[in-house]
């Protein structure tokens, strides 16, 4: 075989998986459709991630964390509130701080521009990884011995396994006959960064408004990332506002949480939807990250879910090879699917329910969610479960998420 594994997709999950597999001894080809340097933005580009503590441990185990640690902001506290359109808060309020978790902060905020750059640098230093930029996988054919892959420039590759990390519209999944289920939310995410006049203290806010949730996530330099989910019609009107008008409206919604602030960079937007692959595996094919599950950003768990896939898949493949198994055998890939599919689907559907429950004007729904938030705030069991889930410490953790190398 020319290589053990071909990975389609050069976002974050694909490079992280390539690095994990290479460090476990596999020879990997990473096919990245974006040209070299396409994600080398100097300023905030709309993408920032709430990395769970377990995800940070994984990046440490992969040797990536030291390159981004200075740009990461620890989440010292999470505050969740049920708001009203005018921006006033009601008493239904939850607060969790790092003192409630023995292991450390619940997570970190990190911008894409720093994380992607660090992953690319780590890949470049790994001799077992070949990265092909500006190309995409356009064909694949599995057989008993391996899988043949064709690239957009006509290059033919051969490997034991093809892994799709190529997003919600995964062409790898489509060619493998894997169907998807999902729906749109009728919401648009409005994303930007704000420069605050006062320190944010590492506090992350989630405010539930009738049109959708607003996340206020602490970034380095006393900036915050705003992820404002709004109904499509309202979002379309907001997108037409000038920066000054936008800031004024945002201030009406959440000004009591951020204080005086100015835009720090451009404004971005993207539609929100749910997308779930009906299977994570096919003959000599596996899916990870958004290729397997695209969820609502309401809890900031999208990248964390993808990194859980990466950690589980890398461990399954490494252990299989250690036992002398074919790493792409059906029973091997099924171990990965069994480990990951239920967890990811449950979280995706859970976030779907939360979004629908909170994104409305119904007094009955408002009363029900208020009771629920009070119950979680008052009971130690639910509080601890929430905190550990947010930190990525619940369930059967792969070794990488424990901070251990394969």
């Amino acid at each position: 075989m020319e290589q053990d594994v071909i990975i389609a997709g050069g976002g974050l999950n694909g490079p992280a998986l390539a690095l994990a597999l290479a460090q476990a001894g596999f020879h990997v080809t990473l096919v990245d459709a974006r040209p070299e340097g396409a994600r080398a933005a100097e300023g905030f580009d709309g993408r920032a991630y709430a990395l769970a503590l377990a995800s940070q441990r994984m990046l440490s185990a992969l040797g990536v964390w030291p390159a981004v640690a200075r740009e990461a902001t620890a989440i010292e506290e999470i505050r969740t509130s049920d708001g009203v359109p005018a921006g006033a808060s009601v008493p239904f309020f939850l607060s969790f701080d790092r003192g409630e978790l023995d292991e450390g902060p619940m997570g970190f905020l990190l911008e894409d521009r720093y994380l992607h750059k660090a992953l690319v640098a780590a890949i470049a230093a790994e001799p077992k990884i070949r990265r092909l930029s500006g190309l995409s996988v356009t064909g694949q054919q599995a057989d008993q011995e391996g899988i043949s892959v064709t690239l957009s420039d006509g290059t033919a590759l051969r490997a034991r396994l093809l892994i799709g990390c190529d997003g919600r519209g995964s062409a790898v999944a489509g060619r493998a006959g894997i169907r998807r289920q999902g729906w749109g939310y009728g919401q648009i995410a409005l994303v930007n960064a704000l420069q605050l006049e006062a320190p944010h203290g590492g506090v992350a806010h989630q405010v539930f408004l009738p049109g959708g949730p607003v996340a206020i996530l602490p970034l380095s330099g006393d900036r915050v990332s705003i992820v404002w989910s709004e109904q499509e019609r309202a979002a379309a009107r907001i997108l037409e506002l000038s920066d000054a008008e936008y800031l004024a409206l945002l201030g009406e919604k959440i000004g009591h949480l951020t204080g005086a602030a100015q835009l720090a960079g451009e404004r971005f937007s993207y539609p929100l939807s749910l997308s779930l692959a009906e299977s994570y595996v096919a003959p000599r094919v596996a899916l990870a990250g958004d290729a397997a599950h695209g969820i609502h950003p309401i809890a900031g768990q999208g990248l964390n879910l993808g990194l859980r896939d990466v950690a589980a898949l890398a461990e399954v493949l490494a252990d299989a090879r250690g036992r002398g198994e074919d790493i792409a055998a059906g029973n091997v890939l099924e171990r990965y699917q069994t480990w990951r599919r239920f967890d990811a689907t449950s979280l995706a559907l859970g976030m779907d329910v939360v979004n629908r429950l909170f994104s409305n004007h119904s007094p009955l729904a408002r009363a029900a969610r208020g009771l629920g938030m009070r119950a979680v705030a008052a009971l130690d069991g639910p509080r601890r479960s929430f905190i550990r889930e947010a930190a990525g410490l619940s369930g059967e953790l792969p070794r990488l998420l424990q901070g251990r190398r394969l």
Side-chain angles (χ1 to χ4, degrees):
M1 289 291 174
E2 187 177 343
Q3 53 267 302
D4 299 307
V5 177
I6 297 169
I7 299 173
L12 296 176
N13 292 308
L17 180 56
L19 197 57
L21 290 174
Q23 291 178 359
F26 291 91
H27 288 85
V28 182
T29 295
L30 177 67
V31 183
D32 186 351
R34 294 181 179 87
E36 188 73 32
R39 290 172 72 151
E42 292 297 325
F44 179 74
D45 66 356
R47 290 172 293 189
Y49 309 106
L51 289 169
L53 177 59
S55 296
Q56 182 268 334
R57 289 177 172 177
M58 175 177 169
L59 293 174
S60 292
L62 294 177
V64 174
W65 189 252
V68 298
R70 292 184 60 182
E71 305 297 342
T73 301
I75 300 175
E76 304 290 344
E77 185 177 358
I78 299 175
R79 297 178 183 174
T80 304
S81 56
D82 194 0
V84 294
S89 265
V90 292
F92 309 146
F93 183 85
L94 287 171
S95 178
F96 307 90
D97 65 56
R98 66 178 294 168
E100 300 182 70
L101 192 67
D102 295 335
E103 291 88 344
M106 290 167 279
F108 298 83
L109 262 295
L110 183 62
E111 293 176 59
D112 179 272
R113 55 178 167 154
Y114 302 123
L115 181 54
H116 186 262
K117 180 180 179 180
L119 285 168
V120 168
I123 286 172
E126 175 52 66
K128 290 186 173 66
I129 300 175
R130 176 175 57 166
R131 179 173 175 241
L132 303 177
S133 299
L135 297 173
S136 58
V137 174
T138 57
Q140 64 201 59
Q141 183 63 51
D143 55 47
Q144 291 296 319
E145 301 299 324
I147 187 164
S148 298
V149 170
T150 304
L151 303 185
S152 52
D153 66 349
T155 299
L157 302 177
R158 180 86 173 155
R160 297 193 180 280
L161 176 66
L162 171 63
I163 303 174
C165 294
D166 51 343
R168 297 185 183 211
S170 173
V172 169
R175 286 188 296 267
I178 299 174
R179 296 184 299 179
R180 310 186 74 83
Q181 298 291 333
W183 48 82
Y185 285 110
Q187 293 175 325
I188 300 290
L190 307 170
V191 182
N192 66 273
L194 296 179
Q195 180 67 56
L196 307 185
E197 290 188 2
H200 53 55
V203 179
H205 296 271
Q206 184 87 56
V207 184
F208 292 100
L209 298 172
V214 180
I216 309 167
L217 308 172
L219 299 176
S220 59
D222 284 318
R223 294 170 303 131
V224 293
S225 171
I226 302 296
V227 183
W228 176 4
S229 301
E230 185 55 87
Q231 300 298 315
E232 289 178 345
R233 289 186 178 179
R237 293 192 294 268
I238 294 170
L239 288 170
E240 295 297 322
L241 297 177
S242 67
D243 287 350
E245 291 169 331
Y246 173 80
L247 281 173
L249 180 60
L250 185 61
E252 292 177 12
K253 304 282 187 180
I254 61 167
H256 59 297
L257 298 176
T258 61
Q262 296 296 321
L263 280 174
E266 299 179 48
R267 293 154 49 190
F268 305 87
S269 67
Y270 56 91
L272 299 179
S273 63
L274 175 73
S275 176
L276 298 173
E278 292 187 352
S279 176
Y280 287 11
V281 300
R284 300 209 169 263
V285 170
L287 306 179
D290 282 0
H293 42 69
I295 71 172
H296 196 286
I298 195 169
Q301 289 298 310
L303 178 58
N304 293 312
L305 271 183
L307 292 178
R308 289 188 203 179
D309 295 345
V310 167
L313 181 54
E315 184 167 319
V316 166
L317 297 181
D319 290 352
R321 192 177 70 164
R323 290 189 290 265
E325 298 176 283
D326 177 355
I327 62 169
N331 62 328
V332 172
L333 297 183
E334 187 58 37
R335 290 171 206 155
Y336 162 64
Q337 173 160 260
T338 299
W339 197 348
R340 290 299 309 135
R341 188 163 179 249
F342 179 79
D343 171 60
T345 302
S346 298
L347 182 58
L349 295 179
M351 293 304 97
D352 179 81
V353 170
V354 170
N355 181 58
R356 294 177 189 276
L357 177 63
F358 280 83
S359 298
N360 62 72
H361 297 270
S362 168
L364 183 61
R366 190 176 185 82
R369 63 199 186 222
L371 290 173
M373 293 174 80
R374 286 194 184 105
V376 172
L379 300 175
D380 289 341
R383 283 186 66 86
R384 181 171 176 79
S385 295
F386 181 95
I387 294 169
R388 296 194 68 79
E389 180 68 32
L393 301 177
S394 60
E396 182 185 357
L397 293 183
R399 294 193 291 274
L400 283 172
L401 291 177
Q402 299 174 42
R404 299 161 53 202
R405 297 189 65 168
L406 294 177

